[in-house]
Amino acid sequence: MSLEALIAILGMAAVTFAIRAGGLLLANRLPTTGFVASWMKHVPGAVLAALVAPAILAGGAAEAIAAAATALIYIASRNLFAAMLGGVLAVYLARLVLGA
């Protein structure tokens, strides 16, 4: 391993640690009630939707089937983890069956 690679790895580790430590330090100062707390509660779902929506729109039939299956599983179970797991399984099986 070259010295430049080692410096790059150490630099990335320091930046990653600083970002995570900053989040932990900031988390104690965030409000736990009110509008901001309610807004912060919904940010992860919005980010996940923003990440998944382009793949669904740009994808084919397998992705559309998986999105529908994920939505149905979530509506039936109200369990996000089960919905995500079902969606991954659905896209895998749909791609396998459709040959996509």
Side-chain angles (χ1 to χ4, degrees):
M1 177 184 307
S2 69
L3 180 62
E4 294 169 345
L6 181 62
I7 291 172
I9 291 170
L10 291 175
M12 289 186 288
V15 169
T16 300
F17 178 78
I19 290 171
R20 292 179 183 217
L24 286 174
L25 293 173
L26 184 63
N28 289 335
R29 298 172 192 248
L30 293 174
T32 57
T33 60
F35 174 75
V36 174
S38 177
W39 179 72
M40 294 289 290
K41 180 181 170 187
H42 293 88
V43 168
V47 170
L48 184 62
L51 291 173
V52 171
I56 294 171
L57 295 176
E63 287 78 11
I65 291 169
T70 304
L72 290 174
I73 292 169
Y74 182 75
I75 290 170
S77 69
R78 295 289 181 195
N79 185 332
L80 186 58
F81 182 72
M84 290 179 4
L85 190 62
V88 170
L89 183 63
V91 77
Y92 172 74
L93 292 174
R95 286 179 180 172
L96 197 65
V97 170
L98 298 174

